[in-house]
Amino acid sequence: MPAAFAPVLLDSTPADFSPWVPFPEAVAAAAGDVPALLALALEAGRTWPRPGEGRTALLWELLASVAATDVAAARVLEPHLDAVAILAQAAQAFPAGQSAPDGTGEAAWGVFAAEGPGARLEAKASAAGVTLSGSKPWCSLAGALDCAVVTAHTDDGGRAAFAVSLRHSGVACEDPEWIARGLQEIPSGTVHFDQVPAIPLGGTGWYHSRPGFAWGGMGVAACWLGGAVGVARDFRSGLLAGADAGRQPDQVALAALGEVDRTLTAALQYLARTAAGIDDGTLGSAGTHSTWSEAQRVRGTVAAAVERVLSLVGSNRGPGPLAFDGPYAKRMADLALYVRQYHGARDDAQLGRLALKGDCPW
């Protein structure tokens, strides 16, 4: 198996994962082609496991393996899979006789939950149903998607999630001036809604309070970690190629590779343990710490690991590969931007507040 297609494993064996290997191979062939990647996202939404249903580790292995192949591809697939999971979770909260939209069909979904200054999306209820009006920032690939799970402000002062069609005439997707060198095929712009019909999902507060919100955040971390594994594989391959050409790695390079190895291994083990806790129901059930505090630990730990790998590999490989090795330079730029979804000290401050209240395992 080519190194680019090697899976990123948490607790599966290579034999366990072997039926899934064609998927990252298909991702590699579709890299950079958003319509092709969205088609793969639809396939994944129909066939991949969902978080909290007994195979969370496999889901995260698949996400990490895709990201190790192409970071931007994971950025396309992950939101659709998150939306599929959200809709399945919402179905359990629907009144008798009603049903949530089905995310496993032929519609490509996104999840738009970010807030930003100068942009506000409001939900208004009437006898005819709920409509959304206003603006939503950071809507990745909105112009290429069919539907989205969107959060909006409600009349009672809270926020709730809604399912909407992005093909409705009241939806206008801005074409952003995306100047970033990372994730160039996935621009994130503002979407404007003008009385767009929406289906409520779970009621006010449900979206952020459900365990699946934390699970989804950890799934994003699995993508970050997979991207870092791809960077580490680039580093190792470069050292092996140099050795084949008679340039044996020096002690500094070997030390960097060793640190990369233990950093990634520790993070992978942490994800494996967390996935097991989600599936056996023990995560957040001990009374000493919540599912959300654990999600913040996972995301912060993985983000720190990714930043360290980017620093170690970047400083050791130097400017040459960044200037002349296209796949490596793209991977570095994509991952550096993707991991910025972690909010650093602000997320640590939130975790600190929880720890101060006793929401911690120590």
Side-chain angles (χ1 to χ4, degrees):
M1 182 190 308
F5 302 143
V8 179
L9 301 179
L10 301 181
D11 65 4
S12 296
T13 66
D16 293 334
F17 194 86
S18 60
W20 300 96
V21 166
F23 202 96
E25 292 179 342
V27 165
D33 184 342
V34 169
L37 290 172
L38 285 173
L40 289 172
L42 293 177
E43 179 185 342
R46 292 188 294 267
T47 59
W48 285 18
R50 293 194 288 260
E53 296 185 358
R55 295 192 296 167
T56 302
L58 175 59
L59 169 63
W60 291 354
E61 288 172 341
L62 286 162
L63 286 171
S65 297
V66 167
T69 302
D70 182 69
V71 174
R75 185 68 184 84
V76 173
L77 268 68
E78 184 277 327
H80 177 79
L81 292 165
D82 191 29
V84 169
I86 292 166
L87 294 172
Q89 293 157 15
Q92 303 172 15
F94 264 66
Q98 299 183 30
S99 60
D102 183 7
T104 60
E106 295 304 316
W109 287 75
V111 179
F112 304 150
E115 300 286 335
R120 182 179 175 88
L121 185 63
E122 295 187 345
K124 298 295 182 183
S126 69
V130 177
T131 58
L132 303 184
S133 294
S135 300
K136 197 70 173 172
W138 293 103
C139 299
S140 300
L141 289 179
L145 301 176
D146 302 300
C147 305
V149 173
V150 183
T151 58
H153 295 267
T154 53
D155 291 334
D156 56 10
R159 275 193 292 166
F162 302 87
V164 297
S165 169
L166 297 175
R167 303 302 184 188
H168 187 272
S169 59
V171 175
C173 303
E174 287 187 3
D175 187 12
E177 185 181 359
W178 192 253
I179 64 173
R181 293 300 179 263
L183 302 176
Q184 288 191 322
E185 59 268 64
I186 311 173
S188 295
T190 299
V191 175
H192 304 283
F193 297 80
D194 183 10
Q195 297 185 352
V196 177
I199 301 173
L201 301 175
T204 299
W206 173 83
Y207 176 82
H208 292 101
S209 64
R210 66 197 163 88
F213 181 64
W215 301 344
M218 290 185 275
V220 172
C223 295
W224 299 339
L225 190 57
V229 169
V231 170
R233 289 173 177 169
D234 288 338
F235 184 28
R236 182 174 179 271
S237 295
L239 294 177
L240 289 171
D244 289 342
R247 302 184 306 276
Q248 294 297 325
D250 61 16
Q251 288 291 89
V252 173
L254 290 173
L257 184 60
E259 184 176 348
V260 165
D261 172 69
R262 60 180 172 81
T263 298
L264 291 177
T265 299
L268 289 166
Q269 290 173 346
Y270 190 6
L271 275 181
R273 188 187 76 183
T274 304
I278 289 172
D279 288 334
D280 65 20
T282 59
L283 185 69
S285 66
T288 56
H289 60 287
S290 65
T291 304
W292 179 241
S293 67
E294 190 64 11
Q296 290 287 58
R297 292 184 197 96
V298 166
R299 285 169 61 86
T301 298
V302 170
V306 169
E307 296 282 12
R308 186 58 180 156
V309 169
L310 287 171
S311 176
L312 285 166
V313 174
S315 62
N316 272 271
R317 295 202 77 189
L322 286 174
F324 301 110
D325 184 337
Y328 167 74
K330 180 181 186 301
R331 196 190 318 275
M332 294 286 280
D334 287 348
L335 183 56
L337 182 56
Y338 195 2
V339 79
R340 291 277 62 78
Q341 286 190 357
Y342 177 66
H343 301 128
R346 290 179 174 83
D347 281 351
D348 273 346
Q350 184 181 127
L351 183 57
R353 281 192 292 272
L354 294 171
L356 194 62
K357 296 175 181 178
D359 189 352
C360 55
W362 43 272

